Amino acid sequence: MKKRTDWICPLCGQPLLLWEGEKTLGCENGHSYDRARQGYCHLLPVNRKHTRDPGDNAQMVMARREFLHTGGYDGFRQALSRLVLEAVGEKKEPLVLDVGCGEGFYTTHMEQILRGAGKSPRVLGFDISKSAVKAAAGTYKNVSFCVASSFAIPVEEGACDCVTEVFSPLVPEEFRRVTKSGGVLILAVPGPRHLWGMKQVLYERPYENERHDTDFAGFRFERRETVTGHLSLSRPQDIRNLYAMTPYYWKTGEEGSRRLLALSHLETETEFDFLLYRREEEPSC
């Protein structure tokens, strides 16, 4: 017996069906994809990889997971889930897609909030990092995860009621393709003073992040919502984990990194901007 999934074949675009006792996904054109023991599928063709093992490695994934479970970003997580619930409105069985889902920390909370509101959501998450998706699928069982690229999202055109993107590559054309007419796109970006205390340690002349209102073809910008907070980290491991989550980890010189990693305590602001867009209605024929 074959059961239709919410994923499509990355080679031909046909719907993927669940085959062979839930061990294989396949399309009617004969392309098949084994499910890993954790329950995810690898839907990133080899010819679309830029490196052998793209995305965050296992060490980075573990650092992010450990930090997020300290509760430091709980305000962000709660705000994101609230906005998703708002975005799907009265829909009883919304399809929500989390682009660049990482280890699934935010994705599973969306599913929990929607289900707690009496809905029967289908929540999908994908990331280009196999390590991240493996960790997500091994822990969170109410979300469907796969390895894939934002530049070729394996989801049907116009399928999603809400698409979320948290600090991942921005591909507006693909986001527009998979979002329903009237559906919502939620982008999360760092605010001007995000991690300001950390940047003061890392850099001689710290700089604020620029704030932009960007228009995307096919979407109507609705609003910006800012969430601020404060971190007081007194465990060196938490400081290291937070640092490893950020792009500063790769961009900072050796001296700045050494100053930060020598700290036993860090006080820093957090500031996130959520940008909400509405997919424009398709003209009726």
Side-chain angles (χ1 to χ4, degrees), residues 30-283:
H31 305 122
S32 63
Y33 308 88
D34 291 337
R35 296 180 82 202
R37 177 175 53 83
Q38 294 82 2
Y40 70 91
C41 271
H42 201 290
L43 301 181
L44 179 62
V46 173
N47 62 0
R48 293 180 186 166
K49 288 184 177 183
H50 297 297
T51 64
R52 182 177 179 180
D53 191 17
D56 292 347
N57 60 34
Q59 182 180 358
M60 295 169 67
V61 170
M62 183 57 67
R64 186 166 61 238
R65 169 166 281 186
E66 286 183 2
F67 176 80
L68 291 174
H69 279 86
T70 68
Y73 278 11
D74 277 1
F76 173 89
R77 179 178 68 163
Q78 291 161 5
L80 176 59
S81 294
R82 171 178 55 79
L83 291 172
V84 170
L85 179 60
E86 209 178 276
V88 303
E90 299 301 315
K91 295 182 174 67
K92 295 297 184 183
E93 298 181 357
L95 180 62
V96 176
L97 174 68
D98 189 18
V99 173
C101 65
E103 72 301 316
F105 182 78
Y106 302 123
T107 326
T108 194
H109 196 254
M110 296 175 204
E111 195 277 340
Q112 291 168 355
I113 293 297
L114 291 168
R115 195 166 295 280
K119 300 182 182 299
S120 299
R122 286 143 45 221
V123 179
L124 312 177
F126 75 85
D127 200 284
I128 201 169
S129 164
K130 179 181 175 180
S131 295
V133 172
K134 181 178 180 180
T139 305
Y140 307 119
K141 299 303 181 181
N142 291 328
V143 175
S144 178
F145 292 104
C146 81
V147 178
S149 167
S150 299
F151 293 89
I153 299 174
V155 173
E156 285 186 314
E157 182 175 340
C160 302
D161 296 291
C162 181
V163 174
T164 63
E165 186 265 359
V166 177
F167 307 146
S168 294
L170 187 61
V171 190
E173 299 82 2
E174 275 295 273
F175 298 168
R176 181 176 65 249
R177 183 184 65 80
V178 301
T179 305
K180 285 182 181 177
S181 293
V184 175
L185 169 65
I186 302 173
L187 306 181
V189 298
R193 301 277 296 184
H194 184 53
L195 299 181
W196 184 251
M198 175 183 284
K199 292 167 80 169
Q200 286 180 305
V201 177
L202 293 174
Y203 304 122
E204 301 260 339
R205 297 182 182 86
Y207 55 91
E208 291 190 357
N209 300 315
E210 293 185 7
R211 179 172 269 161
H212 300 286
D213 287 332
T214 305
D215 292 326
F216 301 116
F219 287 100
R220 181 180 72 253
F221 178 69
E222 293 203 327
R223 75 179 197 271
R224 176 190 299 270
E225 186 164 322
T226 300
V227 175
T228 60
H230 185 86
L231 294 175
S232 180
L233 305 180
S234 54
R235 293 178 64 242
Q237 186 62 48
D238 292 339
I239 297 171
R240 287 194 290 270
N241 287 341
L242 175 62
Y243 183 39
M245 289 169 51
T246 71
Y248 313 128
Y249 184 79
W250 303 106
K251 297 178 180 179
T252 303
E254 187 176 329
E255 185 178 341
S257 295
R258 188 165 48 245
R259 284 196 301 269
L260 183 75
L261 296 177
L263 296 179
S264 59
H265 187 82
L266 175 67
E267 300 277 341
T268 186
E269 301 169 51
T270 61
E271 184 178 30
F272 306 97
D273 283 351
F274 293 104
L275 307 179
L276 278 74
Y277 295 84
R278 180 79 58 177
R279 177 73 163 90
E280 293 177 346
E281 300 282 350
E282 298 289 353

